[in-house]
Amino acid sequence: MTDIASPEAPTTLRVARLPSGVELAHDVAGQGHPLVFIHGVMGDWRSWDPQWPAFSTRFRCARYSRRYNHPNRNTMASPDHSALQEAEDLLGLLDHLGWERAILVGSSYGSFVALALALQHPQRCAALALSEPPMMKYAQHSAAGREAEARFRADVIEPANAAFRRGDDEAGARIMTGGINGQGMATLTPEAMHRRLQNIGAMKTLALSSDEFPWLPPERLATLPMPVLLMAGERTPPIHAEIFRNVCAAMPQAERVLIDGAGHGTSRDNPAAFNAEVLHFLDRHAHQFAHPHSTARA
């Protein structure tokens, strides 16, 4: 393991080299039960700045940059990269940290990754607190979802992919940002756009993948044994609202909550409400995952 200094924050990121050769930059702090934050497509480890103080005082927290996100330099993109490969990366990080079971807190595509891991290795997941997993195939479960997906593909996915293919990364990032977060949300600041462009490789890898939204069977999601909280933004765009509704229908065992005043990025748009809902959920279910050996020290 090597360390890299981060110019954005007073911390030193650790770098885990997985058996696959993938390297994952990550930050670890706190004591208590292990908890891993998993960011969305356009974010990285910094996406969880609004959560870090509130959670690292109560849990042994890790936040990491997924395979193709800043500041990682992995260059082994495949044409079918998806949440399934990212779930294997997350499993490798848990192994690297020596964490047998961890709470997973995800946003957007990070939530998709968490669900993929939970299906593959449920024994490694103590609880799931997930915001709007963008499982696009679930839009097909309702007429409203099919209509929303058709509009999203025509207005966002196809124009963004065309921009990426012609090399106009900034245009692709702006199209994806507006479509994913909702045009009614706050306009990107120059700093926020800079961060988007730092993560453009991850965005393009999924946008141009042959199967960026792999199928997770509803009958298996319905039998996940760990406590599950599903969250959505009260102002999220229609495509996410329809997917969320259909994912919730597939997971009747899950608790659900809407985050007031938030779009797709619930943890960023209303961090106080997001933090309160997740911490309350974990407090209520602590007896299901806390045990004498739950304190992580990696």
Side-chain angles (χ1 to χ4, degrees):
M1 179 180 73
T2 58
D3 293 341
I4 55 176
S6 168
E8 294 89 359
T11 188
T12 299
L13 292 178
R14 309 177 186 190
V15 179
R17 184 174 180 84
L18 308 184
S20 63
V22 169
E23 294 186 348
L24 300 177
H26 62 285
D27 186 17
V28 181
Q31 293 297 328
H33 197 283
L35 183 152
V36 181
F37 290 106
I38 314 157
H39 64 79
V41 170
M42 297 184 288
D44 53 49
W45 69 278
R46 300 167 295 184
S47 300
W48 300 105
D49 284 350
Q51 283 67 51
W52 200 240
F55 285 81
S56 61
T57 56
R58 299 179 56 178
F59 298 93
R60 182 61 168 166
C61 293
R63 51 178 174 168
Y64 74 106
S65 288
R66 292 179 15 240
R67 183 185 295 204
Y68 299 121
N69 293 77
H70 175 79
N72 297 323
R73 297 181 179 179
N74 301 299
T75 57
M76 51 196 80
S78 66
D80 59 350
H81 185 72
S82 76
L84 302 181
Q85 289 77 35
E86 298 270 5
E88 289 303 315
D89 291 349
L90 176 54
L91 179 66
L93 180 64
L94 292 178
D95 289 343
H96 173 84
L97 294 171
W99 293 359
E100 180 182 351
R101 295 176 75 237
I103 298 160
L104 304 182
V105 179
S107 174
S108 187
Y109 207 84
S111 296
F112 200 164
V113 172
L115 282 174
L117 179 65
L119 289 183
Q120 295 167 0
H121 303 281
Q123 75 282 3
R124 305 298 296 270
C125 305
L128 306 175
L130 309 177
S131 180
E132 297 195 12
M135 295 155 62
M136 193 67 70
K137 291 183 173 69
Y138 275 75
Q140 294 296 314
H141 289 196
S142 64
R146 290 189 291 273
E147 181 180 348
E149 182 188 12
R151 289 199 306 270
F152 186 72
R153 288 195 177 277
D155 296 343
V156 180
I157 293 180
E158 291 172 6
N161 287 0
F164 290 142
R165 289 191 180 99
R166 68 175 180 263
D168 193 345
D169 289 350
E170 184 166 345
R174 289 192 181 278
I175 294 168
M176 290 293 288
T177 296
I180 290 174
N181 291 338
Q183 298 292 349
M185 302 309 292
T187 302
L188 282 180
T189 65
E191 179 186 1
M193 176 52 71
H194 175 65
R195 287 195 180 191
R196 291 286 193 275
L197 294 176
Q198 284 182 311
N199 289 297
I200 200 70
M203 198 184 307
K204 291 170 66 175
T205 296
L206 283 176
L208 303 179
S209 171
S210 62
D211 187 18
E212 71 271 39
F213 304 113
W215 178 242
L216 300 185
E219 63 273 15
R220 294 190 60 202
L221 292 176
T223 61
L224 286 176
M226 71 289 295
V228 180
L229 173 66
L230 297 175
M231 295 169 283
E234 177 230 351
R235 297 172 57 193
T236 199
I239 182 61
H240 298 303
E242 294 303 325
I243 292 172
F244 183 75
R245 185 175 295 111
N246 293 337
V247 170
C248 286
M251 301 181 68
Q253 81 279 27
E255 301 176 34
R256 323 91 200 254
V257 66
L258 288 180
I259 304 298
D260 290 341
H264 182 59
T266 56
S267 58
R268 175 195 64 241
D269 296 340
N270 191 345
F274 178 94
N275 294 354
E277 292 289 355
V278 175
L279 289 170
H280 183 48
F281 164 74
L282 294 176
D283 284 343
R284 293 199 313 275
H285 294 282
H287 65 282
Q288 294 182 246
F289 54 78
H291 54 77
H293 304 292
S294 64
T295 300
R297 302 186 182 279

